Amino acid sequence: MVTEYNGSMPNRKVTYRLYPNAEQEVRLQETLGLHQRLYNTALEERIRVYKETGKGLSFADQCKVLTQWRKMVPALAGLNAQSEQVTLKRLHLAFQHFFRRMKNGETPGFPRFKNIHRYPGWGYKTHGDGWKLHLGISGKHGALYLQFVGNLPIRGKPRTPGRPVTCEIMHKAGKWYASVTLEAGSWYEEAPTREIKPTQRCHACWKLPDEKKTLSNREHQCPHCGVICGRDENADLVLLRWLEMRLAGGSGSGREPSEMWSGGSFAAMKHETHAIAV
Ligand SMILES: [Zn+2]
């Protein structure tokens, strides 16, 4: 039985291998190059300002400067703004690490300019802002959408499903990977509504009507099993039943729909994209 989880599970990371086509490979390389230049330019800026004023730049200062750079450099404006802030944050953390070690009386190396060949990658903060994970059937493989790059085929599978939170793109030995942080406590499923047809299908017998229902028909009356309910109510129940079957292993649990409602608490949230959090 599906029960509601309360968020006590820690976040997990799932690594997917990305399989770009030739054009996407060029765009990934271009993105990597832009982040590397952004990192180095921001480092240069910190050094310049320190030399001129004796003061350091904060992360917030650099985010403000980034806004100016995006206006002047079209290539930077083409990338996701949040992902550029993540790169500035990485530089900020390198400085924090440096100052912490100085304070401890150590002799740390000053944050360095990075070579493109060893530049590790970039990151995103919010799912849906510059990146989106589309999982395949039963949560396996699927595709990763990246702004400026497009939809990339991916391979990998989380042990348990979860809501994607952040994403890091990594370039290692010529291959591309995405490390996606999943939040535990919650499940994230995107229903393939084109296949399921929640507005057409019957939640009770799972059959489609012989004749397509029209939008003006606000009632669901199944020609097969005779069940009657509101059209929207039926669509919600179809999505819930789909989710229940998917969590039970994908191929259908064989349970009667009424059993879904007994025994566990079942909270559903339906967004415009038919994402369901349970
Ligand atoms: Zn029916």
Side-chain angles (χ1 to χ4, degrees):
M1 177 47 64
V2 179
T3 51
E4 191 182 333
Y5 290 91
N6 58 13
S8 59
M9 283 163 80
N11 287 352
R12 293 155 290 131
K13 278 193 174 186
V14 184
T15 302
Y16 295 95
R17 169 101 186 262
L18 312 181
Y19 294 87
N21 62 28
E23 194 188 323
Q24 290 171 334
E25 175 70 37
V26 170
R27 290 193 163 234
L28 284 169
Q29 293 284 358
E30 217 175 305
T31 306
L32 186 73
L34 284 165
H35 278 283
Q36 179 240 359
R37 269 174 279 161
L38 174 63
Y39 186 97
N40 286 344
T41 308
L43 172 55
E44 210 178 305
E45 187 77 355
R46 279 193 181 230
I47 295 167
R48 184 185 64 81
V49 169
Y50 184 76
K51 276 186 184 158
E52 286 176 7
T53 68
K55 283 180 193 149
L57 283 176
S58 69
F59 171 62
D61 293 334
Q62 293 217 293
C63 285
K64 273 183 215 154
V65 174
L66 173 64
T67 309
Q68 298 305 312
W69 288 346
R70 281 174 63 87
K71 283 177 190 156
M72 295 185 298
V73 186
L76 276 183
L79 294 187
N80 177 260
Q82 277 202 353
S83 76
E84 291 172 340
Q85 288 183 8
V86 171
T87 291
L88 294 181
K89 189 79 176 193
R90 287 179 179 182
L91 178 64
H92 171 72
L93 292 175
F95 270 89
Q96 277 200 325
H97 184 68
F98 170 73
F99 289 126
R100 198 181 312 121
R101 291 190 61 186
M102 287 265 280
K103 231 173 145 184
N104 291 346
E106 298 169 51
T107 48
F110 192 78
R112 277 188 230 174
F113 291 97
K114 295 202 189 234
N115 182 306
I116 184 70
H117 301 294
R118 297 179 64 182
Y119 198 73
W122 65 94
Y124 299 89
K125 280 200 293 195
T126 314
H127 189 228
D129 190 342
W131 70 288
K132 198 152 200 286
L133 187 63
H134 300 281
L135 293 182
I137 297 300
S138 69
K140 225 172 158 182
H141 312 321
L144 177 71
Y145 167 80
L146 295 183
Q147 184 177 330
F148 184 67
V149 180
N151 269 309
L152 293 147
I154 58 172
R155 288 187 78 81
K157 185 185 193 304
R159 270 183 297 173
T160 49
R163 185 202 299 271
V165 189
T166 63
C167 175
E168 274 179 64
I169 304 299
M170 299 176 296
H171 190 232
K172 275 187 202 164
K175 296 184 177 78
W176 297 94
Y177 302 89
S179 174
V180 177
T181 304
L182 298 176
E183 191 182 77
S186 64
W187 304 87
Y188 178 89
E189 294 285 334
E190 196 170 330
T193 45
R194 246 184 282 175
E195 280 166 49
I196 306 172
K197 300 182 176 67
T199 58
Q200 297 293 323
R201 191 179 294 281
C202 172
H203 75 272
C205 68
W206 208 246
K207 285 183 183 150
L208 290 167
D210 301 324
E211 270 177 51
K212 207 174 171 209
K213 280 186 263 179
T214 59
L215 259 175
S216 59
N217 189 351
R218 305 307 301 166
E219 193 173 70
H220 166 70
Q221 185 169 3
C222 180
H224 305 289
C225 71
V227 80
I228 298 172
C229 63
R231 176 196 159 98
D232 294 342
E233 188 192 351
N234 178 67
D236 284 350
L237 290 173
V238 167
L239 285 169
L240 280 176
R241 186 169 177 194
W242 171 82
L243 179 67
E244 201 262 352
M245 288 192 294
R246 184 150 161 169
L247 293 178
S251 59
S253 63
R255 271 183 247 159
E256 286 301 313
S258 59
E259 289 177 41
M260 281 166 53
W261 302 97
S262 58
S265 68
F266 208 119
M269 220 164 64
K270 200 173 68 150
H271 300 300
E272 279 171 7
T273 53
H274 294 288
I276 306 166
V278 176

